[in-house]
Amino acid sequence: QIQLVQSGPELKKPGESVKISCKASGYTFTDYAMHWVKQAPGKGLKWMGWINTYTGKAAYADDFKGRFVFSLEASASTANLQISNLKNEDTATYFCARGPYFDYWGQGVLVTVSS
Amino acid sequence: DIVLTQTPPTLSATIGQSVSISCRSSQSLLDSDGDTYLNWLLQRPGQSPQLLIYSVSNLESGVPNRFSGSGSETDFTLKISGVEAEDLGLYYCMQTTHAPLTFGGGTKLELK
């Protein structure tokens, strides 16, 4: 069965970096794009951008340009999200979701940024 | 950016009641390929979002047929014909026609 399994929760200090993984199984990884979605505590969903899992090319929403990087380990059917220079407002749950229809989602990774 | 406005923000229903959620877009979601990329998602408490409906009216595999979607261009509706307890949670519309992709603000379905 198709699954997206994400890495575990993270507790970080402001200024640190974090890398979140999303491992896909049950389908051909390079046939579908991977999207990233942010959900701040008690808030709605916000699209961060996506990565073409075949070419590795990424596109970012305006609010996620600069400190956010999407990458792949295609041989491991894994997509990664790295956030550098963490800020308090980065505290959120981060989801990966399979494109183009968002038909499968990871379980989410809670990243907490606190001094 | 496309703004999706969902109404109502909160919906109280009894089991078996039929309810509708509206999603209004600031621009037409009709793509140049002729399709309209408006999806509906349900996020149950503590869970990841789940796709219910894609491209306005297509029921995702495994989703009960009490869920239905309709609409065109800028006005869309999700209908639940006979709410069940497992339907409670937050409903989101989302559009993937225009970048950046955007979500509605959500509608919370709760028991009356």
Side-chain angles (χ1 to χ4, degrees), chain B residues 47-70:
Chain B
Q47 295 188 19
S48 307
Q50 169 195 0
L51 179 66
L52 299 174
I53 301 281
Y54 63 93
S55 297
V56 180
S57 59
N58 295 278
L59 194 66
E60 172 66 358
S61 176
V63 174
N65 61 11
R66 62 180 179 274
F67 291 94
S68 62
S70 63

Side-chain angles (χ1 to χ4, degrees), chain A residues 1-4 22-34 51-55 72-79 97-100 103-104:
Chain A
Q1 73 283 20
I2 294 171
Q3 283 188 299
L4 299 178
C22 170
K23 183 170 177 58
S25 61
Y27 71 97
T28 302
F29 181 69
T30 51
D31 282 352
Y32 296 84
M34 193 68 76
I51 186 164
N52 183 318
T53 54
Y54 186 76
T55 64
L72 301 174
E73 296 169 47
S75 61
S77 298
T78 298
R98 191 178 82 159
D103 53 352
Y104 290 91

Side-chain angles (χ1 to χ4, degrees), chain B residues 73-108:
Chain B
E73 302 263 6
T74 60
D75 286 290
F76 305 92
T77 301
L78 174 71
K79 183 176 180 180
I80 310 172
S81 300
V83 168
E84 297 193 6
E86 65 181 19
D87 301 338
L88 304 183
L90 268 165
Y91 288 81
Y92 293 97
C93 57
M94 72 169 297
Q95 66 83 21
T96 62
T97 299
H98 303 286
L101 311 190
T102 51
F103 294 87
T107 294
K108 184 177 182 181

Side-chain angles (χ1 to χ4, degrees), chain A residues 6 35 37 39 43-48 50 61-62 95 100-108, chain B residues 35 37 39 41 43 47-51 54-55 60 92 94 96 99-105:
Chain A
Q6 297 185 244
H35 294 256
V37 175
Q39 187 168 39
K43 301 296 185 182
L45 303 169
K46 187 164 188 175
W47 182 71
M48 301 174 67
W50 69 289
D62 284 348
F95 295 100
Y101 292 111
F102 292 69
D103 53 352
Y104 290 91
W105 292 66
Q107 81 275 21
Chain B
D35 207 341
Y37 297 104
N39 301 340
L41 308 166
Q43 187 175 30
Q47 295 188 19
S48 307
Q50 169 195 0
L51 179 66
Y54 63 93
S55 297
E60 172 66 358
Y92 293 97
M94 72 169 297
T96 62
L101 311 190
T102 51
F103 294 87

Side-chain angles (χ1 to χ4, degrees), chain B residues 4-21:
Chain B
L4 298 179
T5 303
Q6 285 185 238
T7 54
T10 305
L11 196 48
S12 295
T14 56
I15 301 301
Q17 182 180 352
S18 291
V19 298
S20 293
I21 300 170

